[in-house]
Amino acid sequence: MKISEAAAQSGLSVDTIRFYERAGLLPRLHRGADGHRVFTPTDLRWLRMFERLRATHMPLKVIQSYVELSREPDSALERRAILEAHRAELDTQQAQIDACRELLDEKIRHYDGLTTLAKPPKKAG
Amino acid sequence: MKISEAAAQSGLSVDTIRFYERAGLLPRLHRGADGHRVFTPTDLRWLRMFERLRATHMPLKVIQSYVELSREPDSALERRAILEAHRAELDTQQAQIDACRELLDEKIRHYDGLTTLAKPPKKAG
DNA sequence: CTAGCAGGGTGGAGTTACTCCAGGTCAAGC
DNA sequence: GCTTGACCTGGAGTAACTCCACCCTGCTAG
């Protein structure tokens, strides 16, 4: 599988995938005889995971340490800890979204109030 | 109110507030005789709003255009549109969090499976 | 058979939104 | 009078892309 397909199927851009490789997130990535990157189904699974983790702002350094750990046996506890920490981070993000939604709903109601008051020229105002 | 208080009460850092001022997000900000920034309750309300919008990744340029619009009358519809667009964006972020949570739960269950299988040396293995 | 194009590759510059730091000013406390 | 602390400025550094110019190669159309 070539990089354009890997991009299409992972949700990442071609440039981002190349960037991730340079950052060391794809240590097993192979090249074909023509020098082009060749993606296996396993590579694609990693890319999909990266996409989800990055969509929720896990730092690349943390992802990279996870990748490195996954090349060592006996690192299950550490890897698990990384994932759990990020699960907690998701709760924080959830709270921020909720807080922002509250703000937006309130403001939008405010603007609706303005327009519905403006249309009938005089009504208790 | 001085910048350190504004920072404490908005959740932003002192550096970030100064950066926002340079970016034009606080066009009404005053200075005291000593050249120090002086924050009114209105400034603080803006900062709190910025904090929420940025926590959910509204680009500074969009925030800035909102700020500029809010200095013009008759811009209620445009401002409302900006807020609504961001409310839709929150749904996207929500979906990403849910998708990532699914991934994490699955992986963490996997690691739990490994350790609970590893403890009893032989059990249907 | 060659011209052109698509799709890969590289290195490097640009962007966003901070974050940190050096160096300077000034009021207050000891 | 001297130090301390909070403020100021301008500028460098960082993260994670994103875009660009330029090169190579295989393929197809003329």
Side-chain angles (χ1 to χ4, degrees):
Chain A
M1 163 175 257
K2 52 188 188 171
I3 197 166
S4 57
E5 294 173 74
Q9 295 201 28
S10 65
L12 298 167
S13 77
V14 167
D15 269 322
T16 298
I17 292 174
R18 290 200 270 247
F19 175 77
Y20 286 176
E21 191 203 7
R22 268 187 248 174
L25 299 198
L26 295 164
R28 310 229 181 223
L29 193 61
H30 292 299
R31 299 293 182 116
D34 53 0
H36 291 196
R37 295 169 182 84
V38 178
F39 295 81
T40 66
T42 300
D43 294 326
L44 184 59
R45 274 193 297 277
W46 276 109
L47 290 177
R48 288 202 169 117
M49 180 172 174
F50 298 161
E51 192 275 327
R52 288 197 172 185
L53 294 176
R54 284 296 309 140
T56 53
H57 318 105
M58 181 183 277
L60 278 193
K61 284 186 181 174
V62 177
I63 297 181
Q64 202 200 339
S65 64
Y66 184 90
V67 168
E68 276 169 25
L69 282 173
S70 70
R71 305 189 66 179
E72 299 174 19
D74 307 340
S75 65
L77 281 178
E78 289 164 85
R79 280 180 278 164
R80 198 196 121 119
I82 289 174
L83 301 186
E84 282 213 34
H86 191 59
R87 191 163 57 174
E89 169 62 25
L90 292 188
D91 293 343
T92 304
Q93 292 178 27
Q94 180 76 66
Q96 286 168 339
I97 287 175
D98 293 345
C100 188
R101 185 134 41 199
E102 205 175 313
L103 171 76
L104 293 182
D105 285 349
E106 185 194 322
K107 294 249 171 205
I108 289 170
R109 267 200 309 278
H110 171 69
Y111 286 125
D112 283 351
L114 285 185
T115 50
T116 49
L117 282 174
K119 273 196 174 171
K122 277 180 226 165
K123 180 151 193 183
Chain B
M1 161 176 259
K2 54 190 187 167
I3 197 169
S4 58
E5 294 172 75
Q9 296 200 27
S10 67
L12 299 168
S13 77
V14 167
D15 270 322
T16 300
I17 293 174
R18 288 200 271 247
F19 175 77
Y20 285 175
E21 191 203 6
R22 267 187 248 174
L25 300 198
L26 294 163
R28 308 226 182 225
L29 192 62
H30 292 299
R31 300 294 181 115
D34 53 1
H36 291 196
R37 293 168 182 86
V38 177
F39 295 80
T40 65
T42 300
D43 294 327
L44 184 60
R45 274 194 297 277
W46 275 109
L47 290 177
R48 288 203 170 116
M49 180 172 175
F50 298 160
E51 192 275 328
R52 289 199 171 182
L53 295 176
R54 285 296 308 137
T56 51
H57 317 106
M58 180 183 277
L60 278 192
K61 283 185 181 174
V62 178
I63 298 181
Q64 203 200 339
S65 65
Y66 184 90
V67 168
E68 276 169 25
L69 282 173
S70 70
R71 303 189 66 180
E72 300 174 17
D74 307 338
S75 65
L77 281 179
E78 288 164 87
R79 279 181 278 164
R80 199 196 119 120
I82 289 175
L83 300 186
E84 281 212 35
H86 192 58
R87 191 163 57 174
E89 169 63 24
L90 292 188
D91 293 342
T92 304
Q93 293 179 26
Q94 180 77 64
Q96 287 169 337
I97 287 176
D98 292 345
C100 186
R101 185 135 40 200
E102 208 175 311
L103 170 76
L104 293 181
D105 286 349
E106 186 195 322
K107 294 250 167 203
I108 289 170
R109 268 200 308 277
H110 171 69
Y111 285 125
D112 284 350
L114 285 186
T115 51
T116 51
L117 283 175
K119 274 195 177 172
K122 283 179 221 164
K123 181 150 191 183

